[in-house]
């Protein structure tokens, strides 16, 4: 099963937007959503800093700041195939 990870933090409106977009795209797909609060891990907080949200599919970073829904659907279609 593919894993889509959203790296973000509480109180981040871009993170909220990314999570909402991702949830809409994942509806009905066999993909696990993993949400990571970077403020809980100093290494991740240094890595992602102000670049959040970051969305990764199976470890490959696809987006930062904004999720391109069309591109995400295309990538997930390849996983589903």
């Amino acid at each position: 099963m593919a894993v889509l990870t959203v790296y973000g933090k509480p109180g981040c409106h871009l993170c909220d937007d990314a999570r909402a977009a991702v949830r809409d795209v994942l509806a009905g797909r066999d993909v696990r959503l993993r949400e990571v609060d970077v403020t809980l891990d100093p290494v991740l907080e240094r890595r992602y800093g102000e670049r959040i949200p970051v969305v990764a599919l199976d470890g490959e970073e696809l987006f930062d700041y904004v999720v391109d829904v069309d591109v995400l659907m295309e990538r997930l279609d390849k996983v589903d195939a």
Side-chain angles (χ1 to χ4, degrees):
M1 175 185 297
V3 177
L4 190 71
T5 305
V6 178
Y7 296 93
K9 67 180 179 181
C12 167
H13 73 280
L14 290 176
C15 300
D16 294 339
D17 293 346
R19 282 190 285 271
V22 163
R23 284 189 186 112
D24 288 345
V25 171
L26 291 183
R29 293 181 184 265
D30 192 23
V31 177
R32 189 181 81 153
L33 174 60
R34 178 175 170 243
E35 296 183 44
V36 177
D37 179 350
V38 299
T39 65
L40 300 177
D41 183 332
V43 173
L44 292 177
E45 193 164 29
R46 279 191 301 278
R47 179 183 302 160
Y48 295 114
E50 297 301 315
R51 194 168 60 107
I52 57 172
V54 173
V55 177
L57 178 60
D58 291 333
E60 177 189 354
E61 292 181 10
L62 301 179
F63 311 105
D64 48 11
Y65 302 114
V66 177
V67 174
D68 184 323
V69 172
D70 293 330
V71 171
L72 181 57
M73 286 191 296
E74 287 176 19
R75 291 298 300 265
L76 293 173
D77 286 345
K78 292 177 184 176
V79 170
D80 288 342

